Each structure stands twice: as structure tokens, then as C-alpha cells.
């Protein structure tokens, strides 16, 4: 089977994480060319080469081969104009070379048969060498991009040329030479000559820097020769025009300087010092695991008893988490509501000579928090989305229930139709678990509708103050009544005491946030515990193990929750007493009272906004999660109904066959008078005969066809051929009359006398000498048309032919 994989890093990462069954391959390898990727997209050796071996090791080999191919494609798709792209290109090419090198050494041990040609040791060795050469090429491109020294670039290119030369040798091995695409070997040969020329060019620049003009010219001449060889070998697959222009310009400039200034002799290139090599590309060994994000899919594969124990443990843990978090949130909501009713901490902030005209800092922070969380517009949008999510879940559930109802009605109808012959299990028994599950989901949706109503009611209750909190600071300040309470209470002990209580409130809230996060994040892996218990005892005491572990984990957290609630109760009592005294000391100013009420309502609106926002987030998540659950339930119902429909069709088909194959009862014996009155059909009359006199006349006159027997003789012949005792109908001039049956009074319809197309004379068969036409073959079933002149003779040979139309009718009737 052939399979193609997209060339993208994300797909490869996901693929490396998957350790399932992999399909056969359709491979593409990519090549670099002048800083750009030249991708040969054709699959190796067509798509007809295949091998099916039922072994995991061979599947692993095919998977590794595909990974190497994908890594080459990812390297091709990277951006080669920046450092990161070139680094990743070199990395992927080196990894592909490592995988192919591993397959070269191990593929014969991973299958019991000879692998396909593309996975043979010779092929994988050639591909590994090619990937390594392209990794070295990526290092050269990065060095050129970073403007490194010419000596280093020359060494990188020389090593690159050698690696392409090694790959070329391996690609030309006899068993696999004919299996590559026609331009692969030409491309590699052109690359080898090109990078040898690039190496000589950069080394000539090193000689130029040393004022060694002769060596410079020698290397440039050699580079020009190598470029011509690259053009000849590549056959148009490698573009060397830009680099050839650089070499030509450098050679002309150096030759001009040498001719006019240096006059150095040009040494033979073979006598020059060889260019060094810098090998940066390495064959990276096969890593295990190959991805840093690898997850073993079989790690969670446990016995069913362990799986059930883990599910029960998760249920117990979720109950404890929800209970403790619920306690914290309920206590916090109660705390906020009480503080809002006391208008704290805004009441103690609104003190001082100018405090009555300024906006309290707490209200400013609350307004900012509401705006940052989307304000009333975002809250209204979330509220409007809830009914849509609810309606989608209701439609999914209603559709599933409708399928169950239709299936049940169909089963009941067939049961009433076929009675005791309909023996399959009734739908109401089989669908009982499904309907119970549907009722559970219906109850959940009903509770959700009630909860949504409470949230919407709370939003409507504080909508006006929320709109005020969403306004600008100036508008909010203007909406609150101004009142000068005075500075008498600003430094009073009761105010300082209330400020201390407010700090304790913030401390309790921060502690609760930390406790709630710790409760949510606390996890424990019980798989090993349950596996050990199953191995030692043969059974799992889930309740004892789970309770013991949960107590160990959550007991400290539960104690912290209890302490937090207890501290809150004590703190609220102190705040209530201090606030009562504070209110007593405040002057009885109606404007100040109205100001306190508005600030208290704004604080309550802020708390309601935060609560409603959290409820809406939870509700949205709840409906989305429920949608996935209901879709699975609907699919389960659809599968059940389809299975029942198939079963119904099979049963009905069998019943129809049984009904059709049942033998019917024998017919009753007919009465004797039915047998006596049965009449046999009359015998077929013999054909008419020709008179002997007419035969003699026909023999004497061969040119004239003898006339058929006259109509008058027909009754006699027919009467002679009648069976003894058979009564024939009377003969008339127009033919035999119809038989008369008593009581019917049948009258025959006379033939019309004005036109009778069958009154033509009937010629004798055979060839008539002396006349036109064609002879008739023996046994030809149709008569020949009479010729001119013959018509008259035949009419004369028929006695009584000049009679009236009834005679003609008699001839046709006979």
C-alpha cells in the first residue's frame, strides 16, 4: 500500500510521537541547488514495487524509511536565508543520514525476505551519503551567509565535493544504477564538480590576499575547467551561470594584474598545496525516543481490573476536589456579600476633607477589573451564547431519542404484524440502558437551564451598576453623590481597626486562591499501586487503597480549608462589630448615606460580575464537554439502530424465503362429470391435393403454370378429410358458414366486396422459361411475381375466375 506524507514540521513531530501501525511508503527526497531546494518529487521505482511481510521489525524499517524521507522534505521547506533555517536544514539532513545508515546495517535482519530495491543496503547507503553531502552543503551556505573567511569556506566546499563524490560512487553501483531517476546521477555529478570549483575559487582569494598571483590564476583556471565539467555532467540540472561569471571576472582581473604588474609564472595546479577539509556534517545516530515530546501510547494499557480501579479512584478524587473547592468559593462569596452590604472598604477610604468628592481607590480598582474582563458587553455576549450551546445539546439528544422511538415503533409494528413468528428480542429491553442514559442527560440539561436562569437573573439585577462601572473615571465620579464627611473619623481607632480587618480579608482571599490551585494540581499515579496489589493478592481492594492514598494527599489541604472558613467566621464577627461602631460615629448626612448606598451597590455589582463571569466560563466549558459526550451517545444510538435495522432486514428476508418455500396443499379431486365432459380437440385436416388432370396439363405446357384447385372442389376435399362422425358447418358461396350454437344467434360478418387484396392469382413456384425474373431456389417459401403476359394465362387457367367477389373470398378463406 502506498502512502504520502505532507512535508511539514508539525506533521513530522506528530508522526514521531505515534507508535502504531504504519503503512507502506511513497517516498520523495529533496536536494539543494545554489542555495535553493531542488525537489525531485517522483516516487522511487514507480508505485508497483511492494512487499508485504507480517513482522513488526519490517514495519519498523518501513516507518524509519518514511521518517528519513520526511526529514529531507522538511529540510527542503526551511528558509535558507537565515541562520535558524540553515541550522534546522543541516540537522534534518544529518538525522536522515543517520536513519538510512541504520537501515543499511540492519534492514536485512529486520525481514525474512529480500527488501524492495529502495530499501536494499546499497540503496540506503547511497541515500545516506547523499543526505550527509547535503548537510555539509547547508553548513557551507551558513558560512557564506555569515561572511566567514575564504580559507574556511574553501575547506567546507572541498569536504562537500568529496561527500558528493562518495555519493556518486554509491549511486553508480551496478545493482541500483538503473533504478534511480534519470537525472539524479547527473545532478550529483554536477554538484561534485561545482563545489570543487567553489573550493578552488575561495582558495584563489586566499592566494590573492597573500599576493600569490600565480597560484591565484592557476586555481581560477582550474575552477573554470571544473565549472565546464559541471555543466557537461549536470545536463542542465545544476545552474552554475552566476558562479561562472564570478570566476571569469576574477580571472580576467588577476590576469590583467599579472600581465602588467607581477609577471609571475602560473604553476600547474597539481603542484599546488592541497586544500584542507572541514568536516562539519556528521551521521547522527538513531535516537530513542526520536522526539522530545514522545509519549508511549501503550503505557496506559493495563488490565481491566486496574482500569476500573483507576476510574473509581478518579471519581473519589474528583468528589473531594469539588467539595473542598466548593467550600472555599461559598465562603468567599459570603464574605464579599457581607462586605458589600457594609460598603467596605469603600466607606473607610471615603474619609478626609476632600474624600467625599473623590473616587475611592477600591471602586477605581473594581471598575478597572470589570473593564479588563470585557465589561458588560463581553458579559452580555457570553450570556447570549449559552442558549445556542444549550439548544445544540438539546437537538443532539432529541435526535438520538427520536431514533430510539422510531426503532421501537418499527419493532412493535412488526411484532403486531407477524405475531409469534417475530421472535427477536424486543427493543424496549435492549434500549433500556440507552433510555436511562438519555434521561440522565435530560436531567442534566434541565438543571443547566435552571442554573442559567439564576445567572441571568443575577446579571439583570446588577446590570445598571455594571454599566456605571464600565464608564470612564470622570463619568463614574460624577455619578456618585458628593458629600464631605470630614476628617474627624480619618484617624479614629475604629477606622484603623477596620483597615486592619480589610487587610486580613485580602490575605484570606489570597490564601484561598493558593489552596484551590493546589487542590486542582495535586495528582498521583495509582497505576503502580494497583498493579502491585493485583500481582501480589490477585485482586484489588480499590476502596481501601484509594481512601488511604486520598487521605494522605488531601488531609492537609482539607485542614487548611477548615481553618480558612473558621478564621473567616471570626473575622466577620469582628468586622460587624467595628462597622456598627463606625456607623454610629458617622454624622447623619443624607447625601453621605446616598453616597454610601451607591458605592455599596457598585461593589456588589463588581462581585456579581466576577461571579457571573466565572459561572459563564464554567457553563460554556460544561456545554462544550457535554456536546462531545452527547455526540458519542448519538453515535452509539445510531450504531444500535443500524444494527437493529440490519437484523430486521435479515429476519424478514428469512421469513419471506420460508413463506415462499412452504409447500401448498394438493388440489381437490375433480368430480366425475368434469372428466366426462372433457372434449378432445379435433384432428388437424390434411393439406389440399392437386387434381391429376391439372398436373398433366402443367407437364404438357411448361410455359404455363397450372392453376390451383378450384374453389368448388375445396368443400369436397375438406369433407373427405373430415373425421368419421364429425359434422362440418354448411358451405356457402362465400365459404363455410360459422357454426351455430343453440342460444347464441351468432351472425358472421361478411367481407367487403369492394376491395379484396387477397384476390390476386396464386402463381406456381419455380422458374418460368421465356419470361424475366430470377429462378427460385428449391424450397423458397415465397412465390415469384408473375411477369407481363403470364397474368392473363394464369387467369385463363383458373376456371370460374371471372366470378364474383364471394368466390375470391372463398379462395382466401380456404
Amino acid at each position: 500500500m502506498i502512502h504520502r506524507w505532507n512535508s511539514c514540521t508539525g506533521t513530522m513531530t506528530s508522526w514521531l510521537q505515534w507508535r502504531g501501525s504504519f503503512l507502506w511508503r511513497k517516498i520523495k527526497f529533496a536536494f539543494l541547488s545554489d542555495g535553493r531546494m531542488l525537489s525531485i518529487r517522483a516516487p522511487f521505482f514507480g508505485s508497483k514495487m511492494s512487499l508485504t511481510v507480517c513482522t513488526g521489525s519490517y514495519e519498523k524499517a518501513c516507518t524509519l524509511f518514511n521518517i528519513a524521507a520526511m526529514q529531507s522534505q522538511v529540510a527542503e521547506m526551511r528558509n535558507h536565508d537565515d541562520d535558524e533555517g540553515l541550522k534546522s536544514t543541516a540537522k534534518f539532513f544529518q538525522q536522515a543520514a543517520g536513519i538510512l545508515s541504520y537501515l543499511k546495517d540492519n534492514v536485512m535482519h529486520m525481514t525474512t525476505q529480500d527488501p524492495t530495491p529502495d530499501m536494499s543496503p546499497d540503496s540506503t547507503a547511497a541515500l545516506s551519503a547523499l543526505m550527509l553531502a547535503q548537510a555539509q552543503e547547508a553548513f557551507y551556505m551558513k558560512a557564506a551567509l555569515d561572511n566567514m573567511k575564504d580559507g574556511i569556506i574553501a575547506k567546507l566546499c572541498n569536504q562537500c565535493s568529496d561527500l558528493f563524490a562518495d555519493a556518486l560512487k554509491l549511486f553508480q553501483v551496478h545493482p541500483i544504477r538503473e533504478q534511480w531517476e534519470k537525472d539524479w546521477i547527473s545532478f550529483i555529478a554536477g554538484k561534485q564538480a561545482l563545489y570543487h570549483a567553489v573550493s578552488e575559487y575561495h582558495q584563489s582569494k586566499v592566494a590573492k590576499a597573500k599576493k600569490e598571483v600565480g597560484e591565484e590564476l592557476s586555481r581560477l583556471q582550474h575552477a573554470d575547467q571544473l565549472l565546464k565539467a559541471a555543466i557537461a555532467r549536470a545536463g542542465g540540472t545544476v545552474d552554475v551561470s552566476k558562479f561562472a561569471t564570478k570566476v571569469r571576472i576574477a580571472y580576467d582581473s588577476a590576469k590583467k594584474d599579472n600581465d602588467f604588474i607581477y609577471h609571475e609564472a602560473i604553476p600547474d595546479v597539481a603542484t599546488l598545496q592541497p586544500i584542507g577539509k572541514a568536516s562539519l556534517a556528521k551521521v547522527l545516530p538513531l535516537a530513542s525516543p526520536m522526539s522530545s515530546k514522545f509519549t508511549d501510547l501503550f503505557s496506559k494499557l493495563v488490565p481491566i481490573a486496574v482500569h476500573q480501579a483507576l476510574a473509581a479512584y478518579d471519581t473519589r478524587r474528583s468528589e473531594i476536589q469539588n467539595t473542598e473547592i466548593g467550600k472555599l468559593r461559598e465562603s468567599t462569596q459570603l464574605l464579599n456579600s457581607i462586605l458589600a452590604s457594609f460598603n467596605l472598604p469603600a466607606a473607610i477610604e471615603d474619609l478626609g476633607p476632600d474624600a467625599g468628592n473623590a473616587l475611592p481607590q477600591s471602586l477605581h480598582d473594581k471598575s478597572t477589573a470589570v473593564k479588563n474582563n470585557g465589561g458588560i458587553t463581553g458579559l452580555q455576549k457570553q450570556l447570549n451564547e449559552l442558549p445556542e450551546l444549550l439548544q445544540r445539546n438539546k437537538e443532539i439528544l432529541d435526535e438520538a431519542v427520536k431514533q430510539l422511538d422510531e426503532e421501537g415503533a418499527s419493532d412493535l409494528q412488526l411484532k403486531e404484524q407477524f405475531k409469534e413468528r417475530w421472535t427477536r428480542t424486543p427493543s424496549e429491553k435492549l434500549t433500556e440502558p440507552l433510555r436511562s442514559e438519555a434521561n440522565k442527560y435530560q436531567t442534566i440539561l434541565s438543571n443547566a437551564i435552571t442554573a442559567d436562569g439564576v445567572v441571568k437573573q443575577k446579571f439583570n439585577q446588577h446590570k445598571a451598576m455594571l454599566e456605571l462601572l464600565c464608564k470612564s473615571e470622570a463619568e463614574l465620579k460624577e455619578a456618585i453623590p458628593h458629600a464631605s464627611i470630614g476628617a474627624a473619623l480619618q484617624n479614629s481607632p475604629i477606622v484603623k481597626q477596620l483597615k486592619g480587618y480589610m487587610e486580613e480579608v485580602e490575605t484570606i482571599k489570597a490564601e484561598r486562591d493558593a489552596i484551590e490551585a493546589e487542590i486542582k494540581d495535586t495528582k498521583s499515579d495509582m497505576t503502580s499501586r494497583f498493579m502491585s496489589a493485583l500481582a501480589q493478592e490477585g485482586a484489588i481492594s480499590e476502596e481501601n487503597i484509594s481512601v488511604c492514598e486520598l487521605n494522605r494527599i488531601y488531609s492537609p489541604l482539607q485542614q487548611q480549608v477548615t481553618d480558612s472558613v473558621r478564621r473567616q467566621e471570626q473575622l466577620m464577627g469582628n468586622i460587624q462589630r467595628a462597622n456598627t461602631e463606625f456607623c454610629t460615629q458617622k454624622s447623619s448626612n443624607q447625601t453621605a448615606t446616598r453616597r454610601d448606598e451607591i458605592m455599596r451597590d457598585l461593589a456588589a455589582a463588581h462581585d456579581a460580575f466576577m461571579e457571573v463571569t466565572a459561572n459563564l466560563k464554567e457553563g460554556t466549558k460544561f456545554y462544550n464537554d457535554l456536546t462531545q459526550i452527547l455526540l458519542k451517545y448519538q453515535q452509539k444510538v445510531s450504531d444500535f439502530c443500524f444494527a437493529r435495522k440490519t437484523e430486521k432486514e435479515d429476519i424478514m428476508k428469512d421469513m419471506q424465503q420460508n413463506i415462499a418455500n412452504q409447500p401448498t396443499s394438493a388440489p381437490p379431486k375433480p368430480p366425475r362429470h368434469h372428466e366426462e365432459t372433457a372434449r378432445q380437440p379435433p384432428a388437424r385436416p390434411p393439406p389440399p391435393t392437386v387434381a391429376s388432370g391439372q398436373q398433366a396439363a402443367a407437364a404438357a405446357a411448361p410455359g404455363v403454370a397450372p392453376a390451383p384447385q378450384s374453389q368448388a372442389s375445396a368443400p369436397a376435399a375438406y369433407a373427405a378429410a373430415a373425421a368419421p362422425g364429425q359434422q362440418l358447418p354448411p358451405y356457402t358461396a362465400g365459404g363455410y358458414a360459422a357454426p351455430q350454437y343453440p342460444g347464441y344467434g351468432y351472425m358472421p360478418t361478411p367481407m367487403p366486396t369492394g376491395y379484396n387484396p387477397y384476390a390476386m392469382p396464386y402463381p406456381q413456384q419455380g422458374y418460368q422459361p421465356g419470361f424475366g425474373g430470377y429462378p427460385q431456389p428449391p424450397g423458397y417459401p415465397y412465390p415469384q411475381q408473375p411477369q407481363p403476359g403470364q397474368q392473363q394465362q394464369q387467369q385463363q387457367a383458373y376456371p370460374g375466375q371471372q366470378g364474383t367477389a364471394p368466390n375470391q373470398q372463398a379462395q382466401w378463406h380456404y
Side-chain angles (χ1 to χ4, degrees):
M1 187 177 291
I2 308 300
H3 197 80
R4 180 187 296 274
W5 298 96
N6 294 329
S7 50
C8 63
T9 308
T11 303
M12 187 182 69
T13 303
S14 302
W15 193 18
L16 294 179
Q17 296 179 45
W18 184 48
R19 289 179 55 187
S21 298
F22 291 88
L23 303 179
W24 187 236
R25 61 198 177 280
K26 185 173 184 179
I27 205 67
K28 299 182 296 182
F29 276 90
F31 300 90
L32 287 167
S33 174
D34 297 336
R36 298 182 179 273
M37 300 302 288
L38 175 61
S39 178
I40 298 179
R41 296 286 178 175
F44 283 164
F45 324 125
S47 59
K48 298 181 180 180
M49 304 298 296
S50 64
L51 174 63
T52 302
V53 181
C54 298
T55 60
S57 59
Y58 183 67
E59 187 169 355
K60 176 183 176 182
C62 295
T63 303
L64 290 174
F65 192 86
N66 276 337
I67 292 174
M70 180 173 285
Q71 286 175 333
S72 73
Q73 297 177 54
V74 173
E76 171 197 3
M77 300 297 294
R78 304 303 290 173
N79 183 12
H80 301 140
D81 295 330
D82 59 7
D83 289 345
E84 294 300 325
L86 290 172
K87 286 180 182 179
S88 59
T89 297
K91 173 186 174 183
F92 287 129
F93 275 135
Q94 291 178 99
Q95 289 178 346
I99 293 174
L100 294 168
S101 178
Y102 174 84
L103 291 176
K104 176 196 69 174
D105 299 332
N106 297 277
V107 68
M108 299 304 296
H109 306 292
M110 303 173 77
T111 176
T112 57
Q113 305 179 23
D114 291 338
T116 51
D118 54 349
M119 285 189 64
S120 65
D122 291 336
S123 296
T124 52
L127 292 172
S128 177
L130 179 59
M131 296 298 105
L132 187 62
Q134 293 191 123
Q136 181 74 16
E137 184 179 9
F139 283 117
Y140 151 71
M141 294 169 62
K142 185 178 184 306
L145 185 65
D146 295 341
N147 294 322
M148 299 184 71
K149 295 181 179 181
D150 292 308
I152 297 176
I153 296 178
K155 293 178 181 179
L156 290 173
C157 292
N158 195 22
Q159 176 66 18
C160 188
S161 175
D162 287 353
L163 291 176
F164 273 110
D166 295 340
L168 181 62
K169 293 177 183 178
L170 294 174
F171 268 79
Q172 290 179 325
V173 174
H174 175 66
I176 62 173
R177 177 183 175 86
E178 303 299 330
Q179 296 172 347
W180 308 108
E181 293 294 328
K182 59 181 181 180
D183 53 351
W184 280 33
I185 295 178
S186 300
F187 178 82
I188 298 172
K191 281 279 189 171
Q192 185 272 329
L194 170 64
Y195 281 105
H196 194 178
V198 175
S199 177
E200 294 289 352
Y201 169 75
H202 283 281
Q203 191 64 28
S204 70
K205 296 177 73 175
V206 174
K208 181 179 180 180
K210 296 179 180 180
K211 304 297 182 180
E212 298 176 355
V213 182
E215 180 181 352
E216 179 187 2
L217 288 171
S218 178
R219 293 191 183 278
L220 288 174
Q221 288 178 353
H222 191 206
D224 184 64
Q225 296 172 0
L226 290 171
L227 289 175
K228 293 179 180 179
I231 295 173
R233 296 176 185 177
T237 59
V238 179
D239 183 14
V240 300
S241 58
K242 294 181 180 180
F243 189 73
T245 302
K246 292 182 180 181
V247 172
R248 192 177 308 109
I249 293 173
Y251 177 78
D252 293 340
S253 176
K255 187 175 185 301
K256 181 178 179 181
D257 292 342
N258 189 50
D259 291 343
F260 288 96
I261 301 174
Y262 300 104
H263 304 286
E264 290 188 9
I266 301 176
D268 185 54
V269 69
T271 61
L272 299 177
Q273 183 178 1
I275 303 174
K277 299 176 183 178
S279 179
L280 297 183
K282 306 291 182 183
V283 176
L284 297 181
L286 185 63
S288 181
M290 299 183 66
S291 173
S292 58
K293 299 181 180 180
F294 169 78
T295 301
D296 190 355
L297 300 181
F298 298 99
S299 60
K300 296 182 179 180
L301 187 62
V302 295
I304 186 63
V306 176
H307 178 74
Q308 294 173 351
L310 289 172
Y313 172 80
D314 290 338
T315 302
R316 296 177 188 274
R317 184 184 64 181
S318 299
E319 291 177 357
I320 293 176
Q321 289 179 346
N322 295 334
T323 301
E324 300 304 321
I325 292 175
K327 289 180 181 180
L328 292 176
R329 291 182 177 179
E330 289 176 2
S331 299
T332 303
Q333 291 176 3
L334 177 62
L335 178 61
N336 292 332
S337 62
I338 293 176
L339 292 177
S341 65
F342 293 159
N343 192 23
L344 293 175
I348 59 178
E349 293 174 352
D350 194 27
L351 296 175
D354 298 329
N357 299 324
L359 184 67
Q361 184 62 34
S362 61
L363 284 181
H364 180 271
D365 295 341
K366 288 179 172 59
S367 177
T368 303
V370 170
K371 294 176 184 177
N372 293 337
N373 284 277
I376 191 171
T377 304
L379 198 63
Q380 184 70 56
K381 182 179 179 181
Q382 295 181 29
L383 277 172
N384 295 335
E385 290 177 354
L386 280 185
E388 298 177 1
L389 298 175
L390 173 64
Q391 184 63 26
R392 181 177 62 178
N393 289 322
K394 290 181 62 177
E395 291 176 355
I396 296 173
L397 183 59
D398 292 343
E399 180 64 25
V401 173
K402 180 181 177 182
Q403 292 181 4
L404 291 177
D405 293 340
E406 292 178 351
E407 196 281 328
S410 176
D411 183 72
L412 183 61
Q413 178 185 0
L414 293 173
K415 180 67 176 178
E416 294 176 355
Q417 179 180 355
F418 294 102
K419 305 297 182 183
E420 65 278 356
R421 288 182 294 174
W422 194 255
T423 58
R424 74 168 181 171
T425 307
S427 295
E428 58 183 8
K429 293 184 179 180
L430 295 177
T431 58
E432 184 176 355
L434 293 175
R435 291 194 178 275
S436 176
E437 193 173 356
N439 294 333
K440 180 183 69 175
Y441 294 139
Q442 188 64 48
T443 303
I444 292 174
L445 289 177
S446 300
N447 296 335
I449 294 173
T450 304
D452 292 346
V454 173
V455 172
K456 190 172 183 179
Q457 181 182 1
K458 185 173 295 186
F459 169 78
N460 293 330
Q461 180 182 355
H462 299 278
K463 183 176 181 181
M465 291 300 166
L466 286 175
E467 292 177 351
L468 189 58
L469 284 174
C470 293
K471 293 182 178 180
S472 63
E473 183 177 354
E475 293 175 337
L476 180 60
K477 180 180 177 181
E478 187 66 26
I480 300 176
H482 300 282
S484 179
I485 302 177
L489 296 176
Q490 185 177 5
N491 297 322
S492 66
I494 194 63
V495 173
K496 293 181 180 180
Q497 189 176 2
L498 284 174
K499 289 182 178 180
Y501 291 152
M502 293 302 102
E503 292 177 358
E504 291 184 21
V505 168
E506 296 300 326
T507 301
I508 289 177
K509 290 182 179 180
E511 290 177 354
R512 287 178 178 177
D513 292 340
I515 294 172
E516 182 176 345
E518 190 174 357
I519 291 174
K520 291 181 179 179
D521 296 338
T522 301
K523 297 179 181 179
S524 60
D525 186 10
M526 297 296 295
T527 304
S528 58
R529 292 282 300 276
F530 289 138
M531 290 289 290
S532 300
L534 182 63
Q536 294 176 3
E537 302 176 4
I540 300 176
S541 179
E542 182 273 328
E543 183 176 359
N544 295 334
I545 298 175
S546 298
V547 170
C548 180
E549 182 67 16
L550 291 174
N551 288 336
R552 183 186 67 82
I553 295 174
Y554 291 102
S555 290
L557 297 175
Q558 289 174 334
Q559 185 62 37
Q560 293 180 22
V561 172
T562 304
D563 294 342
S564 178
V565 174
R566 179 179 53 80
R567 288 170 54 198
Q568 174 179 321
E569 293 176 355
Q570 296 176 357
L571 180 62
M572 294 311 300
N574 296 332
I575 292 175
Q576 186 174 4
R577 289 191 298 269
N579 184 71
T580 303
E581 185 177 354
F582 172 73
C583 293
T584 303
Q585 295 179 6
K586 289 173 65 176
S587 60
S588 57
N589 189 339
Q590 294 182 356
T591 305
T593 304
R594 178 58 182 164
R595 180 181 176 87
D596 290 343
E597 291 177 358
I598 293 179
M599 289 192 297
R600 183 165 53 249
D601 293 341
L602 290 174
H606 165 267
D607 296 337
F609 176 85
M610 294 302 176
E611 182 180 353
V612 170
T613 301
N615 293 336
L616 291 178
K617 289 181 179 179
E618 293 178 355
T620 303
K621 183 178 182 300
F622 164 78
Y623 281 128
N624 290 331
D625 295 343
L626 184 61
T627 299
Q628 301 302 322
I629 296 175
L630 290 177
L631 287 175
K632 293 180 181 179
Y633 172 74
Q634 185 186 32
Q635 184 62 41
K636 182 165 60 175
V637 171
S638 300
D639 295 342
F640 169 80
C641 294
F642 179 77
R644 292 283 287 180
K645 180 181 178 182
T646 305
E647 181 187 16
K648 178 186 70 175
E649 293 175 352
D650 293 341
I651 294 176
M652 294 187 67
K653 182 178 179 180
D654 295 340
M655 293 178 63
Q656 292 172 0
Q657 291 180 353
N658 293 336
I659 293 173
N661 295 333
Q662 286 181 357
T664 57
S665 58
K669 185 176 181 181
R672 297 186 61 185
H673 66 277
H674 289 182
E675 299 178 356
E676 293 175 356
T677 57
R679 303 177 63 182
Q680 298 295 332
R684 182 181 181 88
T689 57
V690 181
S692 59
Q694 293 180 356
Q695 293 177 356
V704 180
Q709 186 178 1
S710 63
Q711 298 172 346
S713 62
Y718 184 59
Q726 183 177 1
Q727 184 67 28
L728 296 176
Y731 181 80
T732 62
Y736 287 97
Q740 299 295 326
Y741 296 96
Y744 285 87
Y746 175 80
M747 295 297 295
T749 303
M751 289 290 293
T753 57
Y755 172 73
N756 189 356
Y758 298 97
M760 298 293 295
Y762 194 84
Q764 290 290 335
Q765 297 181 1
Y767 174 73
Q768 303 296 332
F771 296 93
Y774 296 94
Q776 297 290 333
Y780 191 78
Y782 299 103
Q784 184 179 6
Q785 292 291 337
Q787 301 294 330
Q790 186 179 1
Q791 178 76 17
Q792 184 178 2
Q793 294 177 5
Q794 290 178 352
Q795 290 178 355
Q796 294 176 0
Y798 279 84
Q801 184 65 30
Q802 65 276 11
T804 60
N807 292 332
Q808 296 175 358
Q809 284 185 344
Q811 179 186 6
W812 172 81
H813 182 76
Y814 180 78

